[in-house]
Amino acid sequence: MEIVLYKPEIAGNVGSCIRLSANTGLPLNLIKPFGFNFQENKIRRAGLDYHDLASVSIFENWNVFYEQNKNNNIAMLSTKGSKNIWDTDLKNYDYFIFGPESVGLPEEVLSLNHDMLTIPMSDNSRSINLANSVSIVSYEFLLSLIHISEPTRRRGIAEGGVGLKKKK
């Protein structure tokens, strides 16, 4: 599974995703144009010294990326998605596409013949921060690989997280 950021706008979010890529081993694909200078201090600060440990590919534009990957299993992440990530087998996908922070994925990308997924959130919420969304989907994907049962998963979350002890 690989993460794709379509035209990201905020350097700190990209830096956080680079750090996530380094820590999870999940490749990160960035599609230009960016809303910031890639050499910007904010991206280096958020990514700390993880840049050399992450697998990051940069594509000049959507068409270049899509032409190379359109036959793969792609999921688009959007607040407009009809499928909840918790009700989906994330292992079925090769790429998860996330849109720019201010507007999400454009209609011409969403209208392609790929699944559109959403992250559950409160009805009165507009969206979740890009780096947080990428983290949620990445760890849900990784969690799906370890094949734990749903009751064990719920119990683990209720007790402070899978593999975590409840704080006292």
Side-chain angles (χ1 to χ4, degrees):
M1 185 275 267
E2 299 187 23
I3 296 296
V4 180
L5 302 184
Y6 174 91
K7 299 182 180 181
E9 300 167 333
I10 300 173
N13 283 333
V14 174
S16 294
C17 290
I18 290 171
R19 189 173 181 175
L20 180 73
S21 172
N23 282 297
T24 61
L26 299 174
L28 176 64
N29 300 278
L30 304 173
I31 299 175
K32 290 182 176 181
F34 305 139
F36 56 89
N37 178 336
F38 195 74
Q39 301 306 316
E40 198 171 306
N41 285 342
K42 289 178 185 175
I43 196 169
R44 279 184 263 136
R45 185 171 40 245
L48 296 175
D49 56 351
Y50 290 91
H51 293 250
D52 294 338
L53 302 173
S55 172
V56 179
S57 299
I58 298 176
F59 292 84
E60 285 303 312
N61 58 55
W62 171 252
N63 293 336
V64 172
F65 171 83
Y66 193 68
E67 189 56 38
Q68 291 178 26
N69 296 292
K70 65 184 173 190
N71 295 322
N72 289 306
N73 292 324
I74 294 174
M76 310 286 184
L77 274 291
S78 172
T79 57
K80 300 171 189 164
S82 58
K83 292 173 130 180
N84 180 323
I85 62 165
W86 292 340
D87 298 330
T88 306
D89 188 354
L90 299 179
K91 295 186 301 289
N92 290 336
Y93 299 101
D94 302 308
Y95 294 94
F96 290 97
I97 315 288
F98 296 82
E101 293 88 334
S102 66
V103 294
L105 290 168
E107 191 55 42
E108 61 267 17
V109 172
L110 291 175
S111 66
L112 297 168
N113 193 24
H114 298 287
D115 288 346
M116 196 179 337
L117 307 180
T118 191
I119 299 169
M121 60 183 170
S122 297
D123 290 339
N124 60 350
S125 296
R126 255 189 20 234
S127 64
I128 300 172
N129 169 275
L130 176 62
N132 291 338
S133 295
V134 171
S135 296
I136 290 166
V137 172
S138 296
Y139 278 98
E140 285 292 329
F141 169 79
L142 292 171
L143 187 61
S144 74
L145 297 180
I146 61 174
H147 306 292
I148 62 172
S149 68
E150 187 60 28
T152 301
R153 181 177 177 189
R154 281 196 205 118
R155 186 174 54 249
I157 292 170
E159 293 172 358
V162 176
L164 300 175
K165 293 183 180 178
K166 193 172 185 177
K167 290 184 178 182
K168 295 186 181 198

